[in-house]
Amino acid sequence: MKLTINLLAILFFTVSFTSCSTDTIDEDVNVSNENVVIPEAKAIEIEILELINQYRISEGLNALGSIDVIKGQAYSHTGYMIEVNDVNHDYFHSRKAYLEANANAISVSENVAYGFTNAQSVVNAWLNSSGHKQNIEGDFTHFEISAEKDDNNKWYYTNIFIKK
């Protein structure tokens, strides 16, 4: 029984803590500005951005700026993950292409997560995962986050980083 629980926990963390910074091929690449929603920042989102910048500064890295166009892409992806009930990087290439076209990004990366109930816990989880930490410490200039709750009151997160 204990082995089964441990295996399920490992599976959960493997699925929940994936990061994406490589180019993947997606069929649908939409770089249009149509239907882009940019919601107001929530307190948890502001706190996550502040915690990441505090960490970067403590490591001697530059603080990252915020751009609405990144927020729109993060928000859209978080909504998609809630819709399909799966933490994923589906269509990352589309978000990357959109940000290259609309934010002059030369590099794009993202972290996703699920289930964390506060800003500190999700940032700590990302910092304890080598791939996510690499994105947080990456050579980027701007970032944004979307944190949304599903119908069961569980949080989903998409954190996108770009270099201009």
Side-chain angles (χ1 to χ4, degrees), residues 3-136:
L3 177 62
T4 303
I5 292 171
N6 287 340
L7 289 174
L8 286 173
I10 291 169
L11 177 63
F12 173 78
F13 286 111
T14 301
V15 170
S16 297
F17 300 119
T18 57
S19 64
C20 189
S21 60
T22 59
D23 291 332
T24 57
I25 297 175
D26 295 324
E27 296 296 321
D28 299 324
V29 176
N30 180 3
V31 296
S32 165
N33 281 319
E34 294 178 27
N35 303 320
V36 175
V37 176
I38 303 168
E40 279 210 33
K42 296 176 190 63
I44 191 171
E45 295 168 333
I46 294 166
E47 188 176 355
I48 290 168
L49 297 176
E50 289 173 351
L51 288 168
I52 289 172
N53 266 338
Q54 288 169 5
Y55 173 80
R56 286 179 60 88
I57 291 166
S58 76
E59 295 294 309
L61 302 168
N62 62 303
L64 302 176
S66 177
I67 302 176
D68 282 348
V69 69
I70 303 170
K71 174 81 168 179
Q73 291 300 294
Y75 178 74
S76 175
H77 184 63
T78 302
Y80 169 79
M81 291 191 301
I82 290 170
E83 182 181 315
V84 300
N85 193 32
D86 182 41
V87 179
N88 62 65
H89 294 285
D90 293 355
Y91 309 108
F92 172 74
H93 187 71
S94 296
R95 289 184 294 289
K96 181 178 185 282
Y98 182 91
L99 292 168
E100 289 169 342
N102 294 284
N104 298 316
I106 57 173
S107 178
V108 180
S109 188
E110 75 180 11
N111 289 342
V112 297
Y114 163 80
F116 297 95
T117 58
N118 62 64
Q120 190 68 63
S121 65
V122 72
V123 171
N124 286 344
W126 283 333
L127 290 173
N128 287 317
S129 163
S130 62
H132 294 94
K133 185 176 182 179
Q134 184 177 13
N135 288 341
I136 289 172

